Every structure is written in C-alpha cells, then in structure tokens.
Amino acid sequence: YDESQYAWYENVGFDRLVEHPLRTRESVNAAETPLVSISGYKAFREVHSKNYPKGHPGSAYLLFASQPAIYRAVVDQDPYPIRAIIVQGGEPLLTMGGAKMAHRAFTSENLETLVVMDYWMTPTAQLADYVLPAADFMERPDISSHWGIGNFFVVGQQAVEPLHERRNDYDLWAGLAKRLLDPAEWPDTLEGMLDRFLAPSGKTYEEWATGERNHAFPKPRWKKHETQGFATASGKVELVPSMFERFGENPLPIYTGPPYSTPDAPADEYPLQMIPGSRIRELTASNLRQSARLKRIHPEPIVDIHPETAAGHGIGDGDWVLIERPEGAIRQRARLSESVRRDTINPDGYWWEPGSQAGEPGLSGVWTSNANAITPWGPEFSSFAGDQPLRGARCRVRKADAAPAGVA
C-alpha cells in the first residue's frame, strides 16, 4: 500500500468494522461456512498482515455474508434476527439465486426496514420502505482505487449536476456514520473525503480531476516474495491451503457433481441442467432494460436448447417454452443451437420488464422470465465460500401454450 500517494483511513477500513465494540456476533453464515466469516477474515488478515499491513487484499471477500443465510436470518431469525436491509448497486431478485426466498425476506413482518438506492424503480425498489435516487457516474466526483489489491488510483471528474433529488453514495453512508460514529471523521462532502484520501499526493481531488494527469500507477516491484515471502501462513506457495484445514474444510479440490454436492431436485423428474444467469451482449446483467434501442436488438428472453432435446419435447425454433423446477416455472423463447449439450439448456438471465406490472404481484415481470426466480436458495447448496446457488440447477422443459402476458 503506497501511503506516499494515498492515505489510509481506519474509519473506512474493514479491520475497524470487525473489531468495533458494537459488533458482538459472527456472520450469519458462520455455522455452515466458517471460512467465510468474521473469524475467517481475522485469520486471513493475521496471515496477510506482514505483506499487506494496510489495504484490503482478497480477504475482504470473506466478510460478504451469504445471501441464503441473510434471508434465513430475516424469515426464521436464525441464528439471530436481521431487521433492516440496505440494497445498493444491485438487484437481488434478478441477479442473485433464490429470488423466491429473497422476496419472502423482503416482505416479511420481521424485516422492519428495507432501503433501496438505485437509478431505477427495480423490482426490489418496488418493495422498499424507502427509495433513494442515486446519482449517475457523471453526476458525482469519483475515484477508483483498490486499497491493497493494487496501488493505483484513477480520479473521475464530475461532469454535470445531479438531476432532481439524486444523491451520491457518500451522502448516505456519511449521514449514517455521523449519527452512529464520530462525526469529525466524516467530511460534509464527498470531495472533502476524497481530499483526505489524496492529501499525501500533495494535490486535492479538484487538482487531480482537472489536471493533465488524473491517475497514479506506481511501478511494480518485482520478486517481492524473495524478501517478504507470500501472503500465506507458511510464507510459501501453498498448493494445499493450510487455512482450509484450520477451518475444517477439505484442502484438496474434489469434484462433487453438477452443480451441487447436495441434489437440488430429483433427476428423474428434472432430467436437464440449466445455466441461469447467462449474459447478453446488448445488456449488462439486469441493467439497461429501460433502453428502447437495446430492447429492439434483444426484445425477448431466449433459451438455447439442443435441436435433439427440443425435438424430444415437441419444441420448435422460436416456440415459447416453459422451464420448470420445484420453485416454479418461467417462460422464454426457444433458440435451437448445437452449441449446448443435449442435457443442458441456457436461458437468458436477469430478465424483467421495466414500466410494466409495477408493484405486487407482478413486480415488473420478475416472476415471468427471470431465471433466478426458480433457482434454489438453501444454504446447503452453497460451497465452502458461501456462494449463491445460481450456477446451475436441474429442470425440465415443455412447449408453452402461449407467450407470457404482455408479450406478443
């Protein structure tokens, strides 16, 4: 971490949050995935500290709570209750697995507050108690840095004033921090905080943003391992990770079967595998669905099916198809392709229809063609990393009688 150019502030560091006196509990998923938990983070930071005394290397990801466990904590209050959720920069009903369980959590009487900060009235925003309009990247000052993963930073200039009531992310978090923590640690404006970060460089945010060069890329230092070793418990390259053993995980890579070690549905009833979440070149995950121009390029959700598989189910190219799982069914239009296996289908991911069927029960079509509307949610389907169970799922297909409501 290059403190000659970029300051380190403990008030926004994960280490301080982990050790904060108000934190008295483990991560909600610690029982199932102890490696990915507060304890796991502390252990990795202890190992990494000699190489990365400051900054956030990859161990920061160990603090990301498993979403299935978050939903369980809301609905079942296990292992302890979660009563408020802030959703920012994401759409859990579309881009994460187990949308049905997410919906249960977001609408549960146990959840006292749901806040969404976004550009659009997404399906989750339609369920929220508070919707905070977010400033676009051109409407806010910005800096990109990687705090330990990389020593560089790039400063972005604010181009225009925010429209209407749109605010930047800092206003939200600094506002909360001033009420909960030491107000002196949080400047009134985002520019003020960026000035603090950039103070060691001898320039302010404005000087970096408007100057001839808006970035700093220190020269890499080669062969650091010869003097400091590697950021592992042994200081060596560990082909068998010792930290896995420390937390009771098998350190050897073992194939457990597609896609989960625990069967997610009976194979005789659901003989196919689906790959939910496939990206579309014209769109970015659940984003850009509001663009009429892009909608004309890719107007409908498409599921790729091998011609032989389709023929066996009486499905022709261009037919509407029902994709069924124990969680329910969605509809997409078939595209016959020999690029997929005969036992696999490839549905479009993250599909919704902004502006239509707003509010409950439709939530802008989130249940109609969205692949994650029918993916499993249980923590037992997560790997040791507590990841979302959305990389594959058993399913079956049949020809649909008609297109989804509202689709020609």
Side-chain angles (χ1 to χ4, degrees):
Y1 190 82
D2 186 3
E3 288 189 277
S4 69
Q5 293 292 311
Y6 200 77
W8 174 261
Y9 278 95
E10 299 292 345
N11 61 309
V12 291
F14 288 142
D15 290 359
R16 180 173 176 183
L17 298 177
V18 165
E19 300 294 348
H20 197 281
L22 292 180
R23 177 180 287 282
T24 59
R25 294 166 170 164
E26 256 288 5
S27 304
V28 290
N29 51 278
E32 291 92 2
T33 56
L35 188 68
V36 186
S37 66
I38 300 299
S39 297
Y41 176 80
K42 288 181 179 180
F44 271 86
R45 283 299 291 140
E46 180 183 344
V47 169
H48 292 163
S49 60
K50 66 177 182 179
N51 298 68
Y52 305 102
K54 294 182 178 178
H56 296 316
S59 56
Y61 291 100
L62 301 180
L63 293 177
F64 291 6
S66 172
Q67 280 192 274
I70 293 175
Y71 304 150
R72 180 186 60 195
V74 173
V75 175
D76 300 329
Q77 303 188 22
D78 176 28
Y80 52 81
I82 287 180
R83 303 196 186 281
I85 291 178
I86 299 176
V87 178
Q88 186 181 34
E91 174 38 89
L93 293 180
L94 291 162
T95 60
M96 298 293 177
K100 294 282 178 68
M101 188 59 183
H103 182 265
R104 281 185 62 193
F106 295 156
T107 57
S108 170
E109 293 183 357
N110 296 332
L111 190 68
E112 298 175 3
T113 307
L114 175 61
V115 179
V116 173
M117 187 173 188
D118 209 307
Y119 303 132
W120 313 100
M121 282 297 290
T122 63
T124 299
Q126 294 169 35
L127 299 173
D129 300 295
Y130 300 95
V131 178
L132 307 179
D136 184 79
F137 75 98
M138 297 185 71
E139 299 174 323
R140 62 176 185 261
D142 193 23
I143 189 167
S144 175
S145 65
H146 290 264
W147 277 34
I149 296 177
N151 288 329
F152 65 90
F153 64 83
V154 181
V155 174
Q157 188 176 23
Q158 180 175 339
V160 295
E161 289 299 313
L163 291 174
H164 314 300
E165 299 179 271
R166 285 144 70 120
R167 304 279 288 274
N168 64 60
D169 306 50
Y170 179 80
D171 290 346
L172 168 63
W173 296 110
L176 289 173
K178 286 182 178 182
R179 290 164 173 81
L180 300 173
L181 304 170
D182 183 358
E185 294 183 332
W186 300 88
D188 291 335
T189 65
L190 175 55
E191 294 94 324
M193 179 58 89
L194 298 184
D195 284 344
R196 287 191 177 190
F197 288 143
L198 294 167
S201 73
K203 295 182 183 179
T204 65
Y205 157 78
E206 183 65 22
E207 289 171 331
W208 275 104
T210 58
E212 184 176 341
R213 182 168 62 92
N214 72 331
H215 59 271
F217 287 86
K219 290 185 65 175
R221 185 162 57 93
W222 304 111
K223 298 185 177 181
K224 295 190 294 289
H225 64 279
E226 293 182 353
T227 57
Q228 66 186 39
F230 292 93
T232 62
S234 64
K236 302 176 181 179
V237 174
E238 294 189 353
L239 300 181
V240 179
S242 60
M243 294 296 281
F244 278 46
E245 293 180 289
R246 177 173 171 177
F247 282 87
E249 297 289 348
N250 190 334
L252 299 176
I254 295 177
Y255 178 70
T256 57
Y260 313 110
S261 55
T262 302
D264 60 299
D268 56 342
E269 294 183 50
Y270 301 93
L272 303 176
Q273 295 279 349
M274 71 173 185
I275 311 172
S278 292
R279 303 299 175 105
I280 302 168
R281 179 174 295 178
E282 296 80 15
L283 306 168
T284 303
S286 62
N287 298 327
L288 305 179
R289 310 284 167 152
Q290 296 81 5
S291 169
R293 179 182 180 185
L294 296 178
K295 181 74 181 239
R296 287 194 295 270
I297 298 174
H298 198 100
E300 298 169 334
I302 300 296
V303 54
D304 291 315
I305 307 177
H306 192 279
E308 292 182 14
T309 305
H313 292 81
I315 296 170
D317 192 47
D319 286 344
W320 283 97
V321 175
L322 276 175
I323 306 169
E324 298 175 319
R325 276 189 46 79
E327 292 81 4
I330 60 171
R331 297 185 185 216
Q332 297 198 5
R333 193 183 284 278
R335 179 172 61 192
L336 304 192
S337 171
E338 294 186 350
S339 66
V340 294
R341 289 164 47 120
R342 291 168 178 81
D343 61 353
T344 303
I345 64 170
N346 181 33
D348 279 351
Y350 324 115
W351 200 271
W352 65 298
E353 296 287 346
S356 69
Q357 307 174 55
E360 294 274 39
L363 296 176
S364 298
V366 74
W367 310 120
T368 305
S369 299
N370 168 31
N372 281 321
I374 58 171
T375 47
W377 72 271
E380 67 271 18
F381 298 126
S382 298
S383 71
F384 67 87
D387 50 358
Q388 275 294 118
L390 47 61
R391 300 306 179 200
R394 291 200 169 276
C395 68
R396 63 190 179 206
V397 296
R398 59 187 174 91
K399 184 176 179 179
D401 295 331
V407 178

